[in-house]
Amino acid sequence: MNASGRIASLIQALPKTETHLHLEGSLSYDLLTAWDPVRFPPNPPFRRPEFRFASFPQFDEVLLGHALPWFVSAERYHEAARVTFARHVLQNVRYVETSFHLPVAGFIGVPGREMIAAIRSAVPPGLEVRIFAGMLRSDYAGPMRAVIDDLENWDELAGVDLHGHEATPTEAWTAGVWSRLRAAGKLTKCHAGEFDGSARVREAIELLGVTRIAHGVRAIEDPTVVALARERDVTFDVCPISNLKLGVYPSYADYPLRALMQAGVRCTVSTDDPLVFGNDLAGEYAALAAEGGFSVGELAQLVRNGWETALVPAAIRAAMGAEIDRQLGLAVP
């Protein structure tokens, strides 16, 4: 077996986690094609590896234009989640954190708790799934305020995630709500350091109090923010293919994942929105090896980082660490 074959075998054998996945953005494009092949023809240009989005608004338009027609019922959430989780099982992914977008006026009309039940009912044996409610920075208004204020009582909800384009400022309500949700046992996350710079990563850590940041890669622009993330034991759930296809970085040669790891920041690898990026988790690791020159040890460390931050009992974390060690030992010639 050649070197690339050995890397592919190791990637498959490692017990992986995915900790940055938008459920609506994980919709299988094949489901759309089977449902309406005229409207959603196979292999659209935006899913091809070489495609680059011109802007976040263009990406958002493509994502919503494909996701919104599908997600009109709890049954559709179940079917989308079933196919997504089946793909995870095939790639030996053992643990997933996925978010759904809280329903707002003019958006998805399925009540949040019905979404959670539909997603939960799609989880196959052998896969641990934690479900998060995602919301925009501007969502704490009108009828959404009562919904967000009630999230602490949703026992089936693991936590919350603040997402959307960073051009939108973080509003004053967020810090208090995030603090209250943590006090209720919910894990709080925030998207930062993607389209905006390191200051937004600092804001997420110091103002919002999060220890889990989606993306975070532009923290590298300020060594003091990198040090802050390391000192506060913050995890960056990074998505390399997403960042490249959205133009956050032009190439793997410029991508700061290795530099962040070497600086002591815990990083994990995920797919973000495979509906529009055409990626999967195994492909993320394979690209890091082939395009980024990541070693077997570095790939294994990224997988290990996922289990270090996963919401699982210590015994499962230890067992997965031992399995990673075993697979890494088998991979060494």
Side-chain angles (χ1 to χ4, degrees), residues 28-87:
S28 167
Y29 191 84
D30 290 342
L31 280 178
L32 286 177
T33 300
W35 174 50
D36 190 340
V38 175
R39 187 175 180 182
F40 304 108
N43 195 29
F46 63 83
R47 283 175 51 84
R48 297 170 191 169
E50 69 277 6
F51 184 86
R52 297 294 182 267
F53 288 93
S55 65
F56 184 90
Q58 183 199 17
F59 154 77
D60 210 30
E61 180 180 2
V62 171
L63 175 62
L64 295 179
H66 289 76
L68 287 181
W70 177 269
F71 288 103
V72 297
S73 66
E75 290 76 16
R76 288 280 183 84
Y77 266 89
H78 172 89
E79 182 62 8
R82 184 188 66 79
V83 174
T84 292
F85 296 153
R87 289 199 308 261

Side-chain angles (χ1 to χ4, degrees), residues 279-294:
N279 55 340
D280 60 28
L281 195 59
E284 295 279 356
Y285 281 97
L288 286 172
E291 305 294 332
F294 275 58

